[in-house]
Amino acid sequence: MLKALLFDLDGTLADTDPLHLLAWREVLAPYGLEVNEDFYRKRISGRLNPEIVKDLLGLEGEEARRLIEAKEARFRELALNLKPIPGLEELLEKARARGLTWGVVTNAPRENARHVLKALGLNPPLLVLAEEVGRGKPDPLPYRVALRHLGLTPREALAFEDSPSGVRSAVGAGIPTYALLTGHKEEALLEAGAWGVLQDFRKAMELL
């Protein structure tokens, strides 16, 4: 019996990927890296910031921290007028009416997560941050922590993601997972283990 909905944040609750792409493009340009949509999908999307800057630039420590802070500050400047993915508000209302709880499981830094949720007017009963649990997506740990907090089995939850990394994390925790087509292609999401793909949340109403 379904008891909870679990959502990724970026690209799932709101289409923030274009803003992240622009912020990364600006901070990486001085290093000679050109960030286009294909580069963003393959090298950045769904990963933790320290992994990204180490992989792309070989940076760690203080220099990596400064670059990440500059990128995230720029993202927050851009992310002021966010709109939820169509159908999200109706889905959450139907979930509440059915007595379901919900939560957000994200690789985003805490300040960004709170900024985006505030901009969307959302206050999830549960917020799991990968940076605070020790490992990020695609590792299943963030979703396992969410299940543990809620006292649920994997089949009592339903997850929504938008990246192959996120899908692998949720599916790896045993949770049935649907993927939104906000940033990645259907084939990549299904290959990662998604049960199906959605243009937005309007069709997700049928899953409850």
Side-chain angles (χ1 to χ4, degrees):
M1 179 178 169
L2 183 62
K3 295 183 179 179
L5 304 181
L6 298 174
F7 299 85
D8 175 47
L9 182 71
D10 288 303
T12 301
L13 295 183
D15 188 11
T16 53
D17 279 351
L19 306 181
H20 282 291
L21 188 155
L22 179 57
W24 278 114
R25 178 181 292 159
E26 292 180 5
V27 300
L28 292 177
Y31 294 88
L33 290 177
E34 181 179 346
V35 181
N36 56 28
E37 290 185 8
D38 187 59
F39 185 96
Y40 179 83
R41 278 195 302 269
K42 293 179 179 178
R43 304 290 299 276
I44 294 175
S45 178
R47 304 179 69 192
L48 288 170
N49 284 338
E51 296 173 357
I52 295 168
V53 297
K54 184 177 181 180
D55 175 43
L56 298 181
L57 303 170
L59 296 182
E60 296 182 274
E62 182 63 21
E63 189 174 0
R65 186 188 64 78
R66 286 197 301 268
L67 177 63
I68 291 167
E69 287 185 355
K71 181 267 164 179
E72 298 305 352
R74 179 58 178 144
F75 167 76
R76 291 190 293 272
E77 289 175 356
L78 296 168
L80 296 176
N81 298 299
L82 296 176
K83 302 294 182 186
I85 296 291
L88 175 64
E89 293 165 323
E90 293 80 2
L91 179 64
L92 290 176
E93 184 58 38
K94 184 175 181 179
R96 280 191 288 268
R98 285 197 50 189
L100 307 183
T101 189
W102 70 286
V104 173
V105 181
T106 178
N107 274 359
R110 173 173 287 278
E111 192 170 353
N112 275 22
R114 297 206 176 279
H115 178 92
V116 170
L117 291 169
K118 182 178 180 181
L120 294 173
L122 297 174
N123 185 28
L126 174 68
L127 175 61
V128 175
L129 302 166
E131 67 181 14
E132 294 182 357
V133 303
R135 294 194 296 275
K137 304 171 189 177
D139 194 286
L141 181 61
Y143 277 101
R144 288 176 178 155
V145 169
L147 292 173
R148 188 162 66 243
H149 276 299
L150 296 172
L152 300 180
T153 67
R155 293 306 172 112
E156 291 177 316
L158 187 63
F160 296 95
E161 277 283 351
D162 74 297
S163 70
S165 171
V167 170
R168 284 193 287 271
S169 176
V171 171
I175 303 171
T177 305
Y178 287 81
L180 279 84
L181 296 169
T182 49
H184 291 266
K185 295 182 179 179
E186 179 177 355
E187 309 84 70
L189 296 165
L190 293 176
E191 185 179 336
W195 284 36
V197 296
L198 304 165
Q199 292 291 340
D200 54 41
F201 286 111
R202 285 173 287 200
K203 292 290 286 184
M205 299 285 283
E206 302 171 5
L207 301 174
L208 301 193

